[in-house]
Amino acid sequence: LDDRADYISLLSESQRNLSNWTIVGGTYVNYPQSVDEPFIDSYVGKITATPTGDEFASITAISNDIMNLQDFNKYLRTFSIGGYFYSESAYIAGFEIGYQYTDTTSGQNVTHLKNYDSIINSNWVFISETFDTPPDDSNMRLVFKINFIGGSETEDVFLVNGISLGQWSEEFSS
């Protein structure tokens, strides 16, 4: 490689597409309209919450397997996950972002999420977190969760853009 590379994304554009994710508590569609998204050449997904009468509700999105945890550079010791989120609803309570893998000993899913309380609406907000790389030999999945106040008469709609995964990428995730 003769060129200087400041950041290499560990996600392909197709891995950002919500058609490759499991969405619980809502439905998704591709969102081709421009809404001043931060990454104009990257996928924008629109998630609409399943109507609920519950006081608090959430939408959870889990990607397909992204990569094996052993494929991370062990000397860098950490990895970062980030993304831009937009709420069309005034009833947003916060976002959570992280990852999940299956523990090879117990067979149980292990999920690590970082919560960010937020009251933003009609504005893009960047959410990211740096995690220590676990020693497991298992495939990882990315996870984000949108928490909101349920039971409203209005439709709860959220947009996602620029989901990222990288190592030593914090300067590009803030």
Side-chain angles (χ1 to χ4, degrees):
L1 191 67
D2 292 335
D3 295 326
R4 182 184 144 172
D6 290 319
Y7 172 73
I8 298 173
S9 175
L10 299 176
L11 285 182
S12 68
E13 195 59 33
S14 67
Q15 289 172 314
R16 290 182 177 97
N17 190 311
L18 294 179
S19 67
N20 297 315
W21 295 57
T22 299
I23 310 293
V24 177
T27 58
Y28 80 91
V29 294
N30 296 335
Y31 198 77
Q33 298 91 333
S34 178
V35 286
D36 293 326
E37 63 272 13
F39 290 105
I40 58 172
D41 293 328
S42 188
Y43 171 83
V44 176
K46 175 183 174 182
I47 300 174
T48 303
T50 302
T52 178
D54 295 341
E55 184 178 353
F56 294 100
S58 65
I59 300 168
T60 302
I62 304 171
S63 73
N64 289 336
D65 289 345
I66 298 295
M67 62 185 287
N68 190 293
L69 292 166
Q70 294 295 307
D71 293 338
F72 281 116
N73 183 324
K74 290 172 189 44
Y75 298 105
L76 298 180
R77 296 189 336 247
T78 62
F79 62 93
S80 296
I81 301 169
Y84 284 90
F85 298 88
Y86 184 101
S87 174
E88 291 183 5
S89 169
Y91 299 102
I92 186 72
F95 299 94
E96 297 177 52
I97 194 162
Y99 68 101
Q100 178 183 87
Y101 65 94
T102 303
D103 182 276
T104 53
T105 305
S106 69
Q108 299 293 312
N109 284 338
V110 177
T111 304
H112 294 277
L113 293 172
K114 172 66 176 176
N115 180 57
Y116 291 92
D117 294 331
S118 177
I119 56 170
I120 63 102
N121 70 311
S122 301
N123 196 14
W124 288 101
V125 62
F126 185 73
I127 306 293
S128 72
E129 183 62 28
T130 299
F131 298 93
D132 292 328
T133 306
D136 294 72
D137 186 8
S138 182
N139 287 326
M140 72 174 292
R141 298 165 291 281
L142 301 184
V143 179
F144 66 83
K145 190 172 179 181
I146 303 168
N147 301 311
F148 58 97
I149 299 168
S152 69
E153 296 295 319
T154 61
E155 188 174 60
D156 295 298
V157 176
F158 309 94
L159 304 177
V160 180
N161 176 244
I163 298 292
S164 64
L165 170 66
Q167 286 194 280
W168 279 25
S169 57
E170 290 85 351
E171 69 182 277
F172 301 96
S173 298
S174 58

